[in-house]
Every structure is written in structure tokens, then in C-alpha cells.
Amino acid sequence: MNVRQMTDLQGRIAVVTGAAGLIGKAHCEALAEAGATVIACDLDQNAATAAVEQLGASHQGIALNITDTAAVHRVCDHVLERHGRIDILVNNAAINDMVEQPSLDVDVSQFEHFPIAMWRRVLDVNVTGMFLCCQIIGATMAQRQSGSIINIASTYGIVAPDQSLYRAPDGTQRFYKSAAYPVSKAAVIMLTKYLATYWGHRNVRVNALSPGGVANGQDPFFMEQYERRTPLGRMATVTDYQGALIYLAGDASAYMTGH
């Protein structure tokens, strides 16, 4: 097998959750360009369809609530009936309270006031939803003794948020990154390691991709402060993770798991 063949995903079936998200669409585009047939899943059917409508007729968008066990089973069964197998699972769906689109008032986002309902919702989607997709879809891979699972974690699963990033030049705190997101992404990394050792003998590889901040129209002061803390001096673009995704999905990473 040559190097070009190692990144060729022709004939492989890839399921992507959170496909309509900021980098979810880029994941779908990369997989399709590498030759995979993409099943794009998101909460909203129209958004899921839009994620693949420019990729060709062989790709499909499907509405999916990843916290609904029966729904995950239905999607898995549908893909197996239509394609016979699932080769790649990209667990991208997540709740992420972003500085450019905060879902909570700044006072409520503080740890002391963070709503328990929101805490539970984030863990339910980011951890339990991923668990269900791994359990149900990954089990079919283990049965076939072939597959690659890519769990999207975060730099905040490795390091704690620096809340001063969100402090404006006038000293006002515009946003607090909650504890829920970093805790959930740290759990994703450990779930990845657990499954890598659990299914290694079945030739199912499980790795995590931990993106840093992606430029998305944030306030200039935030972007400047974030960029000063990165070795490359910039935030990521939506396409910066495509190469890593294809590497993890294909044979180029055939001896890599639990990373």
C-alpha cells in the first residue's frame, strides 16, 4: 500500500454526528473528498441534508438526537440496511457555549450560578450521547472486526479555560467558559482510551481529535488574546482539522489507537 492509498477512503461508509455544526460540515466535506460515502446526522433534518447537499447524491442527511437510544439504533440499522456496514464514526455532536454565541447571561455562566439543568444537559449530549453512538455503532464494527471511531474532544479536555481570555479591554468580563464543557471533553478523552483497549483485539481503532479555538467572527479583543497564546499566532480555520480527520479515518493511522 502506497501513501496515496493510505488516505483513500473510497468505498467506505462514514457516519458523522453534529454534521451541521461549525466544523461538522468541514468533516463531511473532507470525508467525501477522500472518497467516503457520508451519512450526516444532526438534530434538524433540513440542517443535516444541507450539510451534504453539495457533496453528491450518494451522501445522505439524517435527523438524529444522539441522546435517544432508539433513534441511534434506527439510524444504525438504516445505514446497515442501505450500505451493509459502517467503517468510520465521527462523534462530533456536542453542546458548546461559545463566546460568539453565548446561551447564558454572563452572571449565570459563572460557576457559582451555573444551572444544574444545563450541567446535566451538556453531560447528557457530550458524554452520554457519544457513549450511545460508540456502543451501538461501534458494536457493529467490533462484530465485523474493522472500523475507526474518531471522538471530537477539545483542547479544554486537556487544559482548563483561562477566563481572562473573555475579559474585554475595559476590564469587564463578557463571558465565562463553564465547567460543563471541559469536564465533558475530558470524559471524551478517557472514553476514547477505554474503548481503544476494549476493542483493540477486534481491530476497531478509537482516537480523539482535540481542536483548539476556531475563528468564527469573535470579538477582535478575544481573537487577539487567544492568538497570543498559540504557537502559530492564530486561531484555527474550519478546514484546519480536515487533514487530521482523514489521517485518523484511514489506513495511514492503522497502528494508532487510544491517542
Side-chain angles (χ1 to χ4, degrees):
M1 183 180 294
N2 60 40
V3 173
R4 289 184 182 274
Q5 290 172 324
M6 289 180 180
T7 56
D8 184 1
L9 303 180
Q10 194 69 37
R12 302 192 191 186
I13 310 301
V15 173
V16 181
T17 68
L22 181 62
I23 62 174
K25 290 179 182 178
H27 293 335
C28 293
E29 291 167 2
L31 290 163
E33 188 174 340
T37 297
V38 177
I39 312 301
C41 302
D42 210 282
L43 272 174
D44 180 74
Q45 178 62 59
N46 291 334
T49 300
V52 293
E53 64 184 355
Q54 303 298 322
L55 304 182
S58 63
H59 311 285
Q60 183 182 12
I62 301 178
L64 173 64
N65 177 354
I66 62 170
T67 67
D68 183 338
T69 305
V72 179
H73 273 294
R74 283 195 298 270
V75 169
C76 182
D77 291 344
H78 168 79
V79 177
L80 293 177
E81 288 170 7
R82 184 169 179 174
H83 299 284
R85 69 192 189 282
I86 298 171
D87 302 292
I88 301 159
L89 170 61
V90 181
N91 282 309
N92 179 68
I95 293 175
N96 180 16
D97 197 25
M98 299 179 289
V99 63
E100 65 270 26
Q101 292 178 320
S103 60
L104 297 172
D105 292 337
V106 62
D107 292 339
V108 181
S109 68
Q110 293 182 68
F111 181 78
E112 294 88 346
H113 306 140
F114 193 76
I116 188 64
M118 178 64 80
W119 169 268
R120 288 172 174 153
R121 178 61 179 157
V122 171
L123 293 182
D124 192 32
V125 173
N126 295 10
V127 183
T128 305
M130 187 176 293
F131 166 87
L132 288 172
C133 290
C134 287
Q135 184 182 59
I136 294 166
I137 296 174
T140 71
M141 295 178 173
Q143 187 175 15
R144 288 183 58 244
Q145 298 195 40
S146 177
S148 175
I149 298 174
I150 305 164
N151 295 327
I152 306 303
S154 169
T155 185
Y156 280 158
I158 302 166
V159 299
D162 180 352
Q163 303 294 352
S164 68
L165 279 170
Y166 312 107
R167 193 170 300 137
D170 63 5
T172 59
Q173 190 76 30
R174 302 286 184 86
F175 175 85
Y176 288 95
K177 193 69 177 182
S178 80
Y181 184 76
V183 168
S184 71
K185 290 304 182 178
V188 165
I189 292 171
M190 184 48 66
L191 177 62
T192 298
K193 293 180 178 182
Y194 173 88
L195 291 175
T197 60
Y198 185 80
W199 275 330
H201 71 290
R202 294 295 190 95
N203 197 36
V204 177
R205 298 184 300 105
V206 190
N207 291 288
L209 181 60
S210 295
V214 179
N216 189 36
Q218 295 94 339
D219 286 333
F221 80 84
F222 169 81
M223 295 187 70
E224 181 182 344
Q225 293 182 148
Y226 193 102
E227 289 167 352
R228 282 205 307 266
R229 291 164 168 82
T230 66
L232 293 178
R234 67 174 179 86
M235 297 188 75
T237 68
V238 293
T239 60
D240 275 334
Y241 301 108
Q242 289 182 316
L245 184 83
I246 297 307
Y247 168 71
L248 293 173
D251 295 330
S253 58
Y255 196 62
M256 183 175 183
T257 195
H259 180 69

